[in-house]
């Protein structure tokens, strides 16, 4: 009986010590220290990613400005041609007349400066050749009815006549005293014809400059 009682007391005592042992170790002072458990790593889900390096639209600036990268000029577009390019509104006919003005001014100066026959004849010859081309160019066009067209061709014939007169007078001057036609080639008559031609050149230049 005594053995049984002692055994029971021993069990009770050992159980009490065990609870006391585990209770002492498990009881941790957490007052004022907050939660001491294990928290999940939330930063893995919200890590700030570094900005990716931007890729330029064009590989190189030089390629953008190169000829191959530029759009061709729309020359077939009437709005571009008429507005952007602003073409010269001067007609081809007027441009041709402007060239004749320069030729006639040179012939006029040749008469004024009393140049020799060869220089005068060379200027008239150049004028006549251009007048022939001018006549054929506009012969079947509305320009052939213009007063400027008609007066220019008439002047060409007149200048050619005076040029031939001077050339023949220079060639035959040694025989003029014995010729019945010597009067035509004398200096007075040639000077008179040159003066008529100079006045006609003046008149035609005025007409040509008025053409628009």
């Amino acid at each position: 009986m005594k053995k049984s009682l002692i055994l029971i007391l021993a069990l009770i005592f050992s159980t009490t010590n065990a609870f006391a042992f585990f209770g002492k170790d498990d009881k941790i002072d957490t007052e004022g220290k907050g939660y001491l458990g294990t928290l999940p790593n939330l930063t893995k889900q919200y890590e700030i990613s570094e900005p990716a390096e931007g890729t330029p639209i064009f590989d190189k600036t030089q390629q953008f400005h190169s000829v191959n990268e530029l759009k061709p000029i729309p020359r077939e577009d009437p709005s571009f041609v008429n507005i952007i390019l602003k073409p010269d509104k001067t007609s081809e006919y007027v441009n041709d007349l402007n060239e004749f003005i320069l030729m006639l001014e040179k012939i006029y100066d040749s008469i004024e400066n009393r140049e020799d026959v060869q220089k005068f004849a060379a200027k008239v010859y150049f004028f006549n050749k251009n007048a022939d081309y001018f006549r054929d160019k506009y012969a079947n066009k509305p320009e052939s009815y213009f007063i400027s067209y008609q007066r220019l061709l008439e002047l060409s014939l007149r200048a050619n006549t005076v040029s031939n007169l001077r050339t023949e007078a220079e060639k035959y001057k040694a025989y003029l005293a014995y010729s019945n036609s010597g009067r035509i080639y004398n200096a007075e008559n040639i000077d008179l014809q040159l003066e008529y031609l100079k006045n006609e050149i003046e008149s035609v230049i005025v007409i040509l400059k008025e053409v628009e």
Side-chain angles (χ1 to χ4, degrees):
M1 183 68 181
K2 290 181 178 180
K3 292 181 178 180
S4 300
L5 181 59
I6 292 171
L7 180 60
I8 292 171
L9 291 175
L11 291 173
I12 294 172
F13 179 77
S14 62
T15 303
T16 302
N17 290 337
F19 280 115
F21 175 79
F22 287 108
K24 182 179 180 180
D25 291 344
D26 289 344
K27 186 177 181 181
I28 301 174
D29 185 8
T30 59
E31 184 177 356
K33 294 183 179 181
Y35 179 70
L36 299 181
T38 302
L39 295 175
N41 187 1
L42 300 177
T43 59
K44 290 184 178 180
Q45 300 180 15
Y46 300 98
E47 291 183 354
I48 300 176
S49 60
E50 296 182 2
E53 184 179 354
T55 303
I57 299 177
F58 303 99
D59 294 339
K60 296 180 180 178
T61 305
Q62 184 178 2
Q63 292 181 359
F64 175 73
H65 293 288
S66 64
V67 177
N68 295 332
E69 296 294 335
L70 299 177
K71 295 180 65 177
I73 296 176
R75 295 186 180 276
E76 68 282 356
D77 186 353
S79 61
F80 179 84
V81 174
N82 295 330
I83 298 175
I84 305 301
L85 292 185
K86 295 181 180 180
D88 185 9
K89 295 182 180 180
T90 306
S91 69
E92 186 176 1
Y93 179 78
V94 174
N95 289 333
D96 290 341
L97 294 183
N98 290 334
E99 293 183 6
F100 279 112
I101 292 174
L102 298 177
M103 298 178 204
L104 295 178
E105 288 176 344
K106 290 181 179 180
I107 297 175
Y108 184 93
D109 292 339
S110 178
I111 298 173
E112 278 277 290
N113 299 328
R114 304 184 70 86
E115 287 186 336
D116 58 44
V117 177
Q118 287 76 16
K119 292 180 180 179
F120 173 79
K123 291 179 174 64
V124 172
Y125 177 81
F126 182 72
F127 165 57
N128 288 335
K129 283 298 180 182
N130 281 274
D132 290 342
Y133 174 78
F134 178 78
R135 180 195 60 223
D136 297 338
K137 181 178 181 179
Y138 296 103
N140 299 317
K141 296 181 180 180
E143 288 84 354
S144 63
Y145 296 98
F146 293 173
I147 186 64
S148 55
Y149 175 87
Q150 297 171 3
R151 288 294 301 277
L152 186 63
L153 296 183
E154 290 174 1
L155 180 60
S156 174
L157 295 175
R158 176 69 176 170
N160 187 58
T161 299
V162 176
S163 179
N164 289 336
L165 180 65
R166 288 194 66 185
T167 302
E168 292 173 359
E170 186 71 17
K171 182 178 180 181
Y172 301 120
K173 64 181 179 180
Y175 309 100
L176 292 181
Y178 307 99
S179 172
N180 293 330
S181 58
R183 186 179 56 185
I184 300 175
Y185 298 109
N186 63 36
E188 291 77 10
N189 183 56
I190 290 178
D191 287 342
L192 183 61
Q193 298 304 319
L194 287 173
E195 190 64 25
Y196 288 152
L197 177 62
K198 190 176 70 171
N199 292 336
E200 192 170 352
I201 288 174
E202 254 186 322
S203 176
V204 173
I205 287 177
V206 172
I207 293 174
L208 299 186
K209 287 183 176 181
E210 292 178 348
V211 178
E212 297 180 355

